[in-house]
Amino acid sequence: MTYRMKALLAFLTGMALSSTAGATLIENNTNLSADWTRMPARVAATDSVDAVLYNPAGTIRLGEGTFIMAGNQFLPKEYSHTKDGVRHETTTLTTVVPNLFAVKNSKKWSGFAGFGVIGGGGALEYENGMILDKASGYTVTQLAGLKAMGKPGPILTEEVASAWVGAYVGGACAVSDTLSLSLTGRLVYGTNTYEIDDGRVLDYEKTGTGFAPIIGLNYTPSPTVNIGFRHEFRTRVEWEVDKIDGSAAEAMAPTLGQKGHTTRKDFPAMTALGVSWKATEALTLATDVSYAWHDDIDWEGAEEGLDNGVEVACAFEYAVTPGFAVSAGYSYSNAGVDPENYSTALSKNVYHGISAGFMAEPVEGLRFNVGATKLFYEDDTDSRGITYEKDLWIIGIGVQYAFR
């Protein structure tokens, strides 16, 4: 590989790494538990351990005892971007999106801890590469060959992966019979990887850590109505290059950074508000809104042009018997990215989601949650003629046990 080819590859690869996380918003996931996959309006929830994630102040209302929850999600997907009839597609199956949480409750306080995937998750492998130059439709290796040899280079497999994991420790206290407050500390760990040709051309990884608080409020104005609120503060995250190997690593290092090089990319703040209403003894209705704040993050300039993101959801749950309930819901998300600024690795199309599932409690204290959400993305085409299409299922399975 010539020096000119390597130099161009380095420059273009730096551009390609600009936003590859697979989140329901830009970075922030809202699909944080198996409960969400069957009932996507969770911000006012007080019936499950996943309240630690959605309504931490509401954990008080779980009742006295110790509660443990574990879950996982599976994401079958088909993402593509197409220009001039040439389709670049990934169908990589994500099989591990876990979480594990525990809550200890008394009459007036609760304490909780655990971890889960809060952003991104999984890898995207494009066997025929990803468009980098949107005008020509060429991939990074095609462009490198064009510059070095006067004709497009070979199309090589490219794989990107991004994930944010949150570790939580916190507690809530009851101020009165109707009001409770919470404070949580969350340690965030992020990882980004990028490979070209299974790592032979490039094998790159960087990781980052940060810490920020989360505050919450739960208000129950009547026996049938509950209101949940939480605010996750922006997490300042410093990233460090852990690995840069492959035949083009030396040429790419000036752009991507040598091993040990540091950069800044924050995890955005989020504010969420939800209301639930027990319409009858068996029927519960819920709605909520989640707002991701992109106007105060520092991504070293990559945040310019982003709008704030929003997701709204509504859902219901119907208790068929005391130990079995069915649920369904609808969600809408606009991540705040204009199609002109889409990453071909992972575009952020507007979506409409439909969720359904059930809760089963075969014996007292042991609860299973199973759900599936289908996200219907709106196709987008940018001014350069690139069409972005996405198809995604989110399937969740969770188990919870109460020691009373």
Side-chain angles (χ1 to χ4, degrees), residues 44 46 61 176-179 218-228 275-280 284-285:
T46 60
R61 308 194 74 83
S176 67
D177 291 340
T178 60
L179 178 66
N218 190 84
Y219 179 55
T220 309
S222 75
T224 59
V225 176
N226 193 71
I227 301 170
V275 179
S276 67
W277 174 44
K278 197 170 182 61
T280 69
T284 300
L285 307 177

Side-chain angles (χ1 to χ4, degrees), residues 83 88 117 201 203 205 278 284:
K83 182 178 173 67
H88 302 258
V117 177
V201 173
D203 187 2
E205 180 180 10
K278 197 170 182 61
T284 300

Side-chain angles (χ1 to χ4, degrees), residues 278-295:
K278 197 170 182 61
T280 69
E281 191 64 29
L283 178 64
T284 300
L285 307 177
T287 186
D288 59 42
V289 58
S290 300
Y291 198 80
W293 301 91
H294 300 139
D295 51 11

Side-chain angles (χ1 to χ4, degrees), residues 31 33-40 72-76 315 326-331 352-359 369-376 392-398:
N31 56 309
S33 71
D35 301 61
W36 181 94
T37 64
R38 71 178 185 88
M39 190 176 181
N72 189 47
Q73 295 176 48
F74 306 87
L75 282 70
V326 295
S327 56
Y330 165 82
S331 56
H352 304 262
I354 300 296
S355 305
F358 65 88
M359 182 281 296
N369 285 287
V370 178
T373 294
K374 176 69 167 66
L375 300 186
F376 297 89
L392 176 66
W393 283 88
I394 305 176
I395 301 168
I397 301 174

Side-chain angles (χ1 to χ4, degrees), residues 90-139:
T90 179
T91 57
T92 310
L93 174 66
T94 300
T95 58
V96 181
V97 186
N99 60 51
L100 176 65
F101 286 90
V103 178
K104 173 67 176 177
N105 264 11
S106 73
K107 290 182 179 179
K108 295 292 185 179
W109 60 266
S110 70
F112 45 80
F115 75 92
V117 177
I118 61 173
L124 302 174
E125 181 181 84
Y126 289 85
E127 291 186 0
N128 61 337
M130 303 173 290
I131 292 175
L132 184 59
D133 181 59
K134 294 182 177 182
S136 67
Y138 287 154
T139 69

Side-chain angles (χ1 to χ4, degrees), residues 293-375:
W293 301 91
H294 300 139
D295 51 11
D296 68 344
I297 55 177
D298 184 351
W299 288 359
E300 299 188 347
E303 75 280 5
E304 294 181 9
L306 297 180
D307 293 325
N308 294 327
V310 64
E311 180 179 284
V312 295
C314 57
F316 76 88
E317 180 180 75
Y318 185 79
V320 180
T321 70
F324 184 78
V326 295
S327 56
Y330 165 82
S331 56
Y332 164 87
S333 176
N334 186 327
V337 185
D338 188 276
E340 296 302 311
N341 298 321
Y342 279 174
S343 162
T344 53
L346 181 62
S347 58
K348 290 297 178 179
N349 309 49
V350 169
Y351 74 69
H352 304 262
I354 300 296
S355 305
F358 65 88
M359 182 281 296
E361 189 170 5
V363 297
E364 185 177 0
L366 178 63
R367 178 180 296 181
F368 295 94
N369 285 287
V370 178
T373 294
K374 176 69 167 66
L375 300 186

